Amino acid sequence: MDSEAIGRALSRLAREIAERSRNGGADLAIVGIRRGGVHLARRLRGELTRLLGQEPPLGTLDIALYRDDLSRGGAAPVVGPTDIQFKVEGRDILLVDDVLYTGRTIRAALDEIVDFGRPRRVWLAVLVDRGGRELPIAADFAGETVAVAPGDDVEVRLVEGGAAADEVVVKPRGTP
Amino acid sequence: MIGRHRHLLGLEGLSREEILQVLDLATSMKEVLARPLKKVPSLRGKLVVNLFFEASTRTRSSFEIASKVLSADAVNWTASASSVTKGETLVDTARNLEAMRPDVLVIRHAAGGAPQLVSEHVACAVVSAGDGAHEHPSQGLLDCFTLREKLGTLEGKTVAIVGDVSHSRVARSDLHAMPKLGAKVRLCGPPTMIPQGIERLGGCTVHHDLREAVEGADAVVMLRIQHERIGDPLIPGTREYSKLWGLNARKAAEWLTPGCVILHPGPINRGVELSPEVADGPRSVILDQVQNGVAVRMAILYLLAGGSPAEVSAAGARS
């Protein structure tokens, strides 16, 4: 996907989300999963603010402390801050990430969100659904669904993350 | 794993980057402590055993709370209620506890080097919670964390450490860590309480006059007079010590710069190192140190009970 395709996908996602939001989006809050999901969540909030006429609150989630692979001899991963300043209880939460793959990140994110309160419901929006799920998790809104071999990586490069231009690339694991 | 290290026995062997790894992680851990539900599952199924051969309130509770916030199980073990009273050796005690498969042993001992000795006989990670007059690494890290939080950085800052430096494991850990983060350290106390030649450790100067040590400093770390550790009297009396090396409201107002913060590892001998007005005053960050201690110990336990750096990239792949 190039910059234009990413922009179109986000606009379409925002329209779909706005259509399904109850009370004109009054109960909606957006949570981006660090790091790529946070940039996309900010962009979606911009689009949704225009469509709904009000700005949904935005939070960020770092799932490192909720991962299920620390005890497998893996990881001392970089843990970033989680910042949720709004009340989660009873809200419609739009969880945003860049790529949906095995579903383990989303499972961890769901665990973390419910520690802040019991949302009325949680939607999942991703820019790319690459298949390969290991858990029964599905996206409610996906910008693009692609079949990618298990040995390949899907990388979402955004200008907010330092890329020269927005793009989504598929590449063999381990290549720069 | 903190940098290259499986254990945390002191700060002397830690590099600037390894210290920063703990401090940066502690920043995220502090956010967890501010949540309504102060618990994350990252160390679920891990076992932390606190072996305390010396009395402690703050450090032991801090390690226990840190373990529990990370969902690890914490077991507290005290020497007075153990087979040590029947003559069991330190190594035997550690080996027996290790047979119960802990992931981390946190050890406080009156003998310098005790955690090092244990680490040579067990397979799990060992953390020193203070050994003799050697080091108190988690306190040194929380002091650095608190200073970074209050001053923004330690780079170019001046920290005065005042009191019984010769018996202070806190001073030794501070002295190993703070210069690595760019701070200049002034050590101050009676000549009997400053080890000869300590300035050769680098990054510090020695003073015997309190005013000279604290004027212009960005932070002052006041050490506790450790009566229980001092065999022969090193000072004529606590009244004289307080007069010459204690900090009261008048001295603080006249000698300290406006932004200077005051630290103390606790417990405070009120009226000796610090007058109550100073200990509870606006410059004091002593309670911040206690809170930050939990966050720093969470970071230490998380890093040591986790995995090996070689596996980070594979395990860190996002899904």
Side-chain angles (χ1 to χ4, degrees):
Chain A
M1 292 170 85
D2 60 12
S3 174
E4 207 174 308
I6 291 171
R8 275 199 310 272
L10 289 175
S11 296
R12 177 174 55 76
L13 287 179
R15 279 197 305 277
E16 289 175 15
I17 294 161
E19 281 167 16
R20 285 174 62 181
S21 296
R22 64 190 177 108
N23 297 337
D27 300 321
L28 186 68
I30 305 173
V31 175
I33 300 176
R34 279 171 46 88
R35 287 177 298 190
V38 175
H39 304 316
L40 295 170
R42 285 206 188 96
R43 293 196 197 182
L44 277 174
R45 180 164 79 155
E47 301 261 357
L48 284 165
T49 302
R50 275 193 294 280
L51 293 167
L52 298 169
Q54 58 186 320
E55 188 175 62
L58 177 71
T60 62
L61 206 61
D62 188 290
I63 55 93
L65 295 173
Y66 286 74
R67 285 166 50 154
D68 61 7
D69 56 1
L70 186 69
S71 60
R72 294 172 60 216
V78 176
V79 181
T82 286
D83 182 20
I84 294 180
Q85 299 294 333
F86 51 83
K87 202 173 166 190
V88 167
E89 193 77 28
R91 267 229 151 87
D92 295 340
I93 301 290
L94 178 70
L95 195 57
V96 182
D97 205 0
D98 47 7
V99 180
L100 176 59
Y101 182 20
T102 64
R104 291 179 188 274
T105 296
I106 304 305
R107 180 210 62 79
L110 291 169
D111 278 355
E112 186 163 9
I113 282 177
V114 297
D115 277 356
F116 282 85
R118 183 179 183 274
R120 181 177 172 272
R121 73 173 154 212
V122 180
W123 280 328
L124 174 61
V126 296
L127 183 61
V128 180
D129 180 349
R130 60 165 288 179
R133 220 75 78 236
E134 294 172 2
L135 296 172
I137 281 169
D140 297 284
F141 309 97
E144 186 85 49
T145 301
V146 291
V148 178
D152 290 347
D153 281 333
V154 175
E155 202 172 291
V156 175
R157 298 170 182 164
L158 300 173
V159 287
E160 295 96 322
D166 294 340
E167 61 176 344
V168 177
V169 292
V170 178
K171 54 179 195 168
R173 182 157 296 166
T175 56
Chain B
M1 190 76 65
I2 295 171
R4 306 153 285 155
H5 307 275
R6 267 188 61 225
H7 311 288
L8 181 63
L9 306 172
L11 302 184
E12 185 176 7
L14 257 59
S15 66
R16 172 190 167 86
E17 288 67 33
E18 288 162 343
I19 291 169
L20 289 173
Q21 179 192 18
V22 180
L23 302 191
D24 290 343
L25 182 54
T27 305
S28 297
M29 295 300 183
K30 192 167 178 182
E31 179 270 315
V32 174
L33 293 173
R35 295 183 189 181
L37 197 155
K38 294 181 250 315
K39 202 163 186 78
V40 291
S42 38
L43 293 189
R44 191 167 50 201
K46 301 285 184 179
L47 177 58
V48 177
V49 175
N50 292 322
L51 279 86
F52 276 65
F53 291 86
E54 274 189 341
S56 166
T57 309
R58 256 163 293 265
T59 307
R60 198 181 68 176
S61 331
S62 187
F63 270 110
E64 186 179 354
I65 293 167
S67 306
K68 288 179 173 170
V69 172
L70 293 173
S71 296
D73 291 305
V75 173
N76 289 324
W77 179 98
T78 43
S80 57
S82 78
S83 292
V84 167
T85 57
K86 301 174 190 169
E88 189 171 67
T89 67
L90 170 64
V91 170
D92 277 343
T93 302
R95 276 182 170 157
N96 276 284
L97 286 168
E98 212 233 349
M100 299 175 201
R101 306 295 302 273
D103 297 281
V104 182
L105 288 181
V106 179
I107 302 179
R108 167 167 288 190
H109 201 285
Q116 167 80 42
L117 176 67
V118 169
S119 74
E120 290 163 8
H121 290 86
V122 297
C124 62
V126 175
V127 178
S128 167
D131 56 325
H134 173 228
E135 278 218 48
H136 192 346
S138 60
Q139 180 74 41
L141 289 167
L142 79 87
D143 285 353
C144 291
F145 183 88
T146 305
L147 288 178
R148 197 171 73 156
E149 188 179 69
K150 299 296 172 190
L151 305 176
T153 177
L154 272 79
E155 198 67 56
K157 304 292 183 188
T158 300
V159 182
I161 300 177
V162 180
D164 183 6
V165 173
S166 59
H167 289 88
S168 175
R169 50 201 178 201
V170 175
R172 225 162 297 275
S173 283
D174 283 351
L175 193 50
H176 285 307
M178 289 173 182
K180 286 175 189 160
L181 301 180
K184 293 186 282 289
V185 177
R186 298 174 185 166
L187 298 176
C188 177
T192 48
M193 289 181 162
I194 307 281
Q196 284 216 336
I198 196 164
E199 59 271 32
R200 284 200 296 270
L201 275 178
C204 74
T205 53
V206 171
H207 308 259
H208 300 299
D209 179 76
L210 180 65
R211 181 172 188 161
E212 180 186 296
V214 302
E215 268 186 343
D218 299 285
V220 179
V221 180
M222 299 300 288
L223 301 173
R224 185 172 67 88
I225 297 291
Q226 304 188 46
H227 298 292
E228 77 280 10
R229 224 175 276 273
I230 300 173
D232 297 321
L234 296 177
I235 47 171
T238 49
R239 274 186 72 179
E240 183 172 341
Y241 179 88
S242 175
K243 196 174 159 194
L244 291 173
W245 290 286
L247 208 49
N248 60 23
R250 182 189 58 79
K251 293 181 199 173
E254 289 177 10
W255 298 350
L256 302 183
T257 55
C260 179
V261 292
I262 296 168
L263 294 83
H264 191 296
I268 306 167
N269 292 311
R270 282 181 180 262
V272 181
E273 303 102 44
L274 289 173
S275 68
E277 314 87 75
V278 178
D280 304 325
R283 294 176 183 277
S284 168
V285 295
I286 296 168
L287 292 178
D288 298 86
Q289 287 177 275
V290 177
Q291 191 190 28
N292 291 339
V294 178
V296 165
R297 287 170 180 124
M298 284 169 69
I300 292 166
L301 293 175
Y302 180 80
L303 290 169
L304 291 179
S308 66
E311 289 163 310
V312 168
S313 56
R318 286 287 299 277
S319 52

